[in-house]
Amino acid sequence: LLNGGDGSGPVAPEAVVAALQQMDIDFVFTAHPTQVMRQGRLSKCNEIRTIMRRLSSPDLAHAERLDLLEKLQLQIHLCWRTDSLRLKPPSPQEEQRSLLSYVPRSIFPAVPVLLRRLDAALVRVGLPKLPLTASPFRFSSWMGGDRDGNPNVTAIVTKEAVLAARITAATLLFEAVQELMSSLSLRDATPEFKALVIASDGRLERRFGDHQAIAKMRRGRGYSQFFAPNPENEPYRKMLAEVRDRLWETSESLH
């Protein structure tokens, strides 16, 4: 576009940035009652593909290769012994579960990678990155919501589909925040961010009490780590701890 590669002449950099900032692509997933491949068979094929990729690595030790070959043999055996076709059309709930199984292993990890590549492409041509508030991609689904004459999609089915999607989203974000808490041990932060941390500390103390009460609350929720409030020299962990608390509460309210 910048060089007029589409045949319409060069486009001003400002116009490219403005267009990208306004970009709103909605990926809508759908399914069809004739879909017959079982989810169990699909997951085993995915595992076989993952093992094959690992086997192609030249850095594998001999013991690691033998272990992977044993796992590959097991997955092939399980796949061969698993019925590949559904004996009846899937219900709307089964269609929804099939879609949600792809989100954690394919969609959720791919979106940030794509955004980082887009930012890198902009930087290479001297343009600014997308703002942090930009959300050029959205994901929607017809599954469990096509109330246009499908007798199998009732109000209860739609409610279950929405709840399942929200629980999946809350769970994935919760796990991502916990991973960030392990990584972001930085001590330095801007004055503006430190002010947000102080406000966060105040909210926690008003809701749960002192440090001991907060630690007890977090242990009771089954967190894997970071129970007690983090020290002052870990501002990002302190802020993320409150985000994790809120995501846990969101997930619990949906069950």
Side-chain angles (χ1 to χ4, degrees):
L1 288 175
L2 292 173
N3 299 322
D6 63 346
S8 60
V11 178
E14 296 79 9
V16 173
V17 173
L20 289 174
Q21 291 179 354
Q22 297 175 15
M23 185 168 63
D24 182 14
I25 301 176
D26 190 359
F27 296 93
V28 181
F29 295 94
T30 186
H32 196 275
T34 58
Q35 181 181 348
V36 292
M37 182 68 75
R38 296 182 60 198
Q39 182 58 36
R41 186 67 175 268
L42 291 172
S43 64
K44 290 175 177 60
C45 290
N46 182 69
E47 182 64 23
I48 290 173
R49 181 171 62 251
T50 300
I51 295 173
M52 294 292 289
R53 287 176 177 171
R54 294 181 62 188
L55 282 171
S56 64
S57 172
D59 300 325
L60 277 178
H62 180 67
E64 292 176 320
R65 184 172 297 277
L66 291 178
D67 182 54
L68 286 173
L69 288 173
E70 182 178 352
K71 291 180 179 179
L72 179 62
Q73 184 179 20
L74 173 62
Q75 290 299 323
I76 292 175
H77 179 77
L78 291 173
C79 193
W80 185 260
R81 297 287 182 175
T82 299
D83 288 338
S84 60
L85 304 180
R86 297 178 183 270
L87 300 181
K88 60 179 182 179
S91 67
Q93 293 93 328
E94 289 172 332
E95 292 176 346
Q96 172 80 350
R97 287 195 294 269
S98 178
L99 164 65
L100 293 179
S101 69
Y102 289 100
V103 174
R105 67 171 183 247
S106 300
I107 300 171
F108 191 74
V111 172
V113 173
L114 183 57
L115 289 174
R116 285 194 293 269
R117 290 178 179 177
L118 181 57
D119 279 340
L122 290 170
V123 171
R124 280 198 300 270
V125 295
L127 298 178
K129 296 180 180 179
L130 291 176
L132 294 178
T133 54
S135 182
F137 308 113
R138 293 185 292 125
F139 298 90
S140 306
S141 170
W142 277 105
M143 301 177 199
D146 49 338
R147 307 274 296 278
D148 56 352
N150 185 343
N152 297 318
V153 180
T154 63
I156 293 177
V157 169
T158 300
K159 181 179 179 180
E160 290 176 350
V162 172
L163 284 175
R166 294 183 67 187
I167 290 171
T168 299
T171 301
L172 289 172
L173 291 172
F174 179 89
E175 294 171 351
V177 167
Q178 288 216 122
E179 186 176 346
L180 273 177
M181 290 180 71
S182 298
S183 303
L184 292 181
S185 56
L186 304 173
R187 67 176 183 273
D188 297 324
T190 64
E192 293 81 6
F193 189 84
K194 289 181 179 179
L196 293 175
V197 173
I198 292 173
S200 172
D201 288 341
R203 287 191 295 269
L204 287 173
E205 291 176 2
R206 288 192 295 272
R207 288 191 62 195
F208 303 107
D210 59 14
H211 285 199
Q212 290 183 345
I214 293 173
K216 181 179 179 181
M217 173 271 293
R218 288 173 175 165
R219 286 193 178 92
R221 293 181 175 186
Y223 296 165
S224 60
Q225 57 184 338
F226 300 119
F227 308 114
N230 297 90
E232 298 299 325
N233 63 344
E234 296 180 349
Y236 295 97
R237 283 177 171 171
K238 289 174 72 68
M239 179 59 71
L240 286 170
E242 185 190 15
V243 176
R244 179 182 62 174
D245 292 336
R246 294 173 66 180
L247 285 169
W248 186 92
E249 292 163 3
T250 297
S251 182
E252 284 297 300
S253 70
L254 296 172
H255 283 86

